Amino acid sequence: MVSLGAFVHNDRTKIQRHSLNGWHRVKRDPTLSIGHFKYPPLALPVFLSCFSKRFILAIVTLLMLFPGLVFAQGAILNLDSNWQYRWGDSPVSVDGIPDWSTEGPEQGDWLTIDFPSNPPNRDGKTNVWYRTMLPDNGLWRDPVIYIYSVDLITEVYMDGDQIYRFGSFDQQGQGRFEGWPWHIISLPQDFAGEMIYFRIFSSASDIGLWGEIKLMERIDVFSYIIHKSITDLAVSSLSLVIALLALIFAFIQSNRQTFLLIAFFTFASSVMLFAQSQVKQLLANAPLVWDHIAATAYFILPIAMAMLFDSWYQWKLTKVIKAIWIFHLIFVIAAISSSVTARVELSSMYYLFDMLLLLSLLVLFLITFAQVKQVNNDVKIQLASFAIFSLFLLIDMAVAHNMLPWTRMPIAIGVLLFSITLVAVSLYYFAVVQNELKQLNETLEQKVKDRTEALERLASTDPLTSLMNRRSFYKQAEIIFQKSIRYQRNIAMLMLDIDYFKQFNDNYGHAVGDAVLIAVANRIKHVCRATDLPARLGGEEFIILLEEPDTDEALFDSRATT
């Protein structure tokens, strides 16, 4: 089966549905397909309606199985060798049984192949059969075959009986793309030494089984899937948190564009990682819906990457960078809309997109090499993480197109490294800007304080003698006068005038007169106490306010100033 609730079809008898409690016979439903709903308009509503319940079930299952994810697994046998293949499609007997599914080990024109995927001499063929002999290895309670994925649809037979089906074959042995889910194929208890046959149709570049083929106990499949999805789930969750935090920062900080782009990239990465992880099938058995979500997020990545790239530096070819993300945006809209409306198959879009992505990355790195010596260190760090993430993408692309041996490429690690680098550099910039703003505020506050004090001095000081002017003297003297009344304190006032100053000023000039005024003011400041209040009233007139003197002290001060 595809997962819990997936359907298995037997053309001669019935449709069977498997649950953990056993096999149940149900009536044939012509509106249902295998692995998901036949018509796209029905897939999304059912997907949304069952998502919340399955999400809770998956979380509970994860919590129950997590302590034993590594240690709870029983025997697991890899079925990745000793296969045979045969191009074409089998003729069908009058009983509806494919003739090839009943051939013995020595019968038929079967050719040897290590792994049942992409046999040689395809030459445009779309149908192929694979078979292998199941091993005799120990006792099994609930044996199943786990398959990572199939390109594109399949029927599985043992002794002429169909035991599994994913997708629908028409009279010509062809069908439509139904998604890339993982598969669980139930086996009878006496499977040891039996031949198992796979009928395959694929119009895509790959044809056959994909990734991993394992013989194991049913219960171990779920723990195995969860265990293999832990990294993707963790990085997906962390990326989603980063996206939310970046979105918050975008609305409270000045460098809004940077944080919006980080939120855009990390959110798309989070969706892609979760939609590509195998655990999502436990939440909702809607392979085609999940594949469209994953494809949309994957196709969006170059848009976010090009925008981020453009925001790091004033590149000379910024128009080329803008053209890259605009072109990818057009591609996303065209590819996804065409697939949803069934005008093209989603599987055929990946090869074209990967070629465009390869070309886009090549252009971006050529732009980088032309100006790499001019950029500062923080941009170089971002470019290095960008290069590492791009390398992960290219390796994953090469694996997908059979240029490299199949492996579970840790693309989540590349996403995590790139995301953390973006956040770290942005937070560093944020801290630098905040520190600069703090220093600027402190400098401005000090300048305002100094300027205010200078203005106050100018407003209260006589510019020639540097004594207090009339306005400031009256203001401060009023305060001292009110205190003397309240606390019954003595005060004295000395009035000074320079005799014959006008005549002296006329005879010797204003410059000499000003020198005389300055000399008198300096003498007053010299003899005054710290508590005295001297001031120039105007012209050659001066005044001194004395706090708490007696008559003799006031007379003494008067003589001292003269």
Side-chain angles (χ1 to χ4, degrees):
M1 273 129 326
V2 176
S3 70
L4 293 176
F7 290 87
V8 179
H9 173 239
N10 187 314
D11 284 329
R12 293 176 296 163
T13 53
K14 56 191 177 292
I15 293 180
Q16 295 176 315
R17 184 180 62 194
H18 188 74
S19 71
L20 296 179
N21 296 324
W23 291 92
H24 305 279
R25 297 176 184 269
V26 296
K27 296 181 179 179
R28 185 185 300 273
D29 186 348
T31 65
L32 293 178
S33 182
I34 310 304
H36 69 93
F37 291 87
K38 183 175 181 180
Y39 300 103
L42 294 177
L44 187 59
V46 176
F47 170 78
L48 295 175
S49 65
C50 69
F51 184 87
S52 59
K53 294 181 180 179
R54 289 177 179 263
F55 180 79
I56 296 173
L57 176 62
I59 294 299
V60 173
T61 304
L62 177 62
L63 294 175
M64 293 174 62
L65 294 178
F66 183 78
L69 287 179
V70 178
F71 304 101
Q73 294 178 354
I76 299 179
L77 300 180
N78 291 320
L79 303 180
D80 54 3
S81 61
N82 299 320
W83 286 79
Q84 294 178 320
Y85 74 95
R86 189 171 181 178
W87 284 115
D89 201 7
S90 171
V92 180
S93 67
V94 293
D95 296 328
I97 302 174
D99 294 341
W100 293 358
S101 67
T102 59
E103 291 181 346
E106 305 301 328
Q107 295 178 302
D109 299 326
W110 296 87
L111 301 175
T112 302
I113 190 172
D114 286 334
F115 191 83
S117 179
N118 297 321
N121 303 317
R122 182 177 181 181
D123 299 329
K125 301 180 182 71
T126 57
N127 290 91
V128 67
W129 280 66
Y130 297 100
R131 73 178 183 180
T132 190
M133 182 175 292
L134 296 175
D136 183 3
N137 193 326
L139 298 176
W140 299 82
R141 291 169 297 177
D142 191 6
V144 298
I145 292 178
Y146 159 77
I147 302 175
Y148 187 86
S149 183
V150 173
D151 288 312
L152 290 174
I153 60 175
T154 185
E155 291 177 347
V156 184
Y157 294 87
M158 287 184 67
D159 290 331
D161 293 330
Q162 185 185 111
I163 62 172
Y164 181 77
R165 188 182 79 181
F166 174 71
S168 299
F169 286 82
D170 58 22
Q171 295 296 324
Q172 288 74 38
Q174 299 181 350
R176 292 192 57 82
F177 174 66
E178 304 281 355
W180 283 304
W182 46 269
H183 306 266
I184 299 177
I185 303 172
S186 297
L187 297 176
Q189 291 291 334
D190 57 349
F191 69 86
E194 296 290 335
M195 297 291 293
I196 186 168
Y197 297 81
F198 289 80
R199 179 192 184 191
I200 301 289
F201 164 79
S202 176
S203 58
S205 58
D206 295 312
I207 184 168
L209 311 188
W210 177 254
E212 298 173 317
I213 310 171
K214 297 181 181 295
L215 175 62
M216 61 175 71
E217 296 287 353
R218 182 183 304 277
I219 190 61
D220 288 337
V221 174
F222 301 109
S223 61
Y224 180 81
I225 287 171
I226 294 173
H227 174 62
K228 292 297 184 179
S229 301
I230 287 296
T231 301
D232 287 343
L233 291 177
V235 176
S236 176
S237 301
L238 182 59
S239 297
L240 183 59
V241 171
I242 293 175
L244 293 176
L245 292 177
L247 192 61
I248 294 174
F249 269 88
F251 288 101
I252 63 176
Q253 299 301 323
S254 57
N255 53 339
R256 178 172 300 179
Q257 180 184 7
T258 299
F259 285 105
L260 283 176
L261 291 177
I262 292 176
F264 180 31
F265 173 79
T266 51
F267 179 75
S269 300
S270 174
V271 173
M272 180 193 71
L273 290 175
F274 184 80
Q276 288 183 350
S277 70
Q278 291 186 299
V279 77
K280 93 275 187 174
Q281 203 167 319
L282 297 176
L283 300 182
N285 183 36
L288 204 54
V289 175
W290 283 119
D291 286 335
H292 276 90
I293 294 173
T296 303
Y298 179 50
F299 293 169
I300 282 175
L301 281 185
I303 302 175
M305 292 168 68
M307 287 182 170
L308 283 167
F309 189 90
D310 192 29
S311 68
W312 293 337
Y313 190 71
Q314 296 296 326
W315 307 101
K316 293 180 180 179
L317 299 177
T318 184
K319 291 183 178 179
V320 176
I321 300 173
K322 184 178 180 180
I324 288 175
W325 68 258
I326 291 177
F327 185 79
H328 278 277
L329 178 61
I330 296 173
F331 178 85
V332 172
I333 297 173
I336 299 302
S337 61
S338 299
S339 177
V340 170
T341 55
R343 285 181 290 179
V344 297
E345 291 190 351
L346 182 63
S347 59
S348 64
M349 291 291 100
Y350 274 87
Y351 182 80
L352 178 59
F353 170 79
D354 287 341
M355 295 302 102
L356 294 176
L357 176 59
L358 179 62
L359 179 61
S360 300
L361 292 176
L362 180 61
V363 172
L364 291 178
F365 281 113
L366 287 176
I367 294 174
T368 302
F369 293 147
Q371 295 181 253
V372 67
K373 294 183 179 180
Q374 305 171 15
V375 301
N376 49 30
N377 290 332
D378 54 320
V379 175
K380 290 180 180 178
I381 293 174
Q382 290 175 310
L383 290 173
S385 65
F386 181 85
I388 294 174
F389 177 59
S390 300
L391 180 62
F392 275 80
L393 286 177
L394 293 176
I395 295 176
D396 184 65
M397 186 190 308
V399 170
H401 296 293
N402 291 312
M403 299 177 185
L404 291 175
W406 188 90
T407 182
R408 289 179 181 264
M409 186 62 196
I411 194 72
I413 304 301
V415 170
L416 181 61
L417 176 63
F418 188 43
S419 300
I420 290 178
T421 302
L422 292 177
V423 172
V425 172
S426 299
L427 291 179
Y428 170 76
Y429 271 125
F430 172 73
V432 170
V433 171
Q434 291 297 107
N435 186 53
E436 291 177 350
L437 288 176
K438 181 180 179 181
Q439 293 179 355
L440 180 61
N441 287 335
E442 292 175 352
T443 302
L444 290 176
E445 289 175 359
Q446 185 62 41
K447 287 184 177 180
V448 170
K449 181 180 179 181
D450 295 343
R451 186 63 176 170
T452 302
E453 291 176 353
L455 290 174
E456 289 177 350
R457 285 195 299 271
L458 289 174
S460 61
T461 303
D462 176 62
L464 178 63
T465 62
S466 298
L467 291 175
M468 197 177 301
N469 60 22
R470 179 199 298 264
R471 174 180 172 276
S472 181
F473 176 80
Y474 285 162
K475 183 178 180 180
Q476 296 191 39
E478 176 67 21
I479 296 173
I480 296 173
F481 181 73
Q482 294 296 333
K483 287 183 178 180
S484 68
I485 295 175
R486 180 174 182 180
Y487 300 112
Q488 299 297 311
R489 296 173 181 171
N490 295 328
I491 60 172
M493 198 84 72
L494 298 180
M495 298 290 297
L496 294 88
D497 182 83
I498 302 176
D499 295 335
Y500 309 111
F501 180 75
K502 184 178 183 306
Q503 182 179 353
F504 184 85
N505 203 34
D506 291 341
N507 292 335
Y508 296 101
H510 291 285
V512 176
D514 290 344
V516 171
L517 291 174
I518 293 173
V520 173
N522 289 337
R523 181 61 180 169
I524 292 173
K525 287 186 283 186
H526 177 71
V527 300
C528 282
R529 303 169 300 178
T531 57
D532 295 339
L533 204 64
R536 181 189 178 193
L537 291 180
E540 72 277 14
E541 296 178 349
F542 298 87
I543 189 170
I544 305 174
L545 177 63
L546 307 175
E547 292 190 65
E548 300 187 28
D550 55 26
T551 305
D552 293 337
E553 288 177 328
L555 291 174
F556 174 80
D557 287 341
S558 176
R559 289 192 295 271
T561 55
T562 58

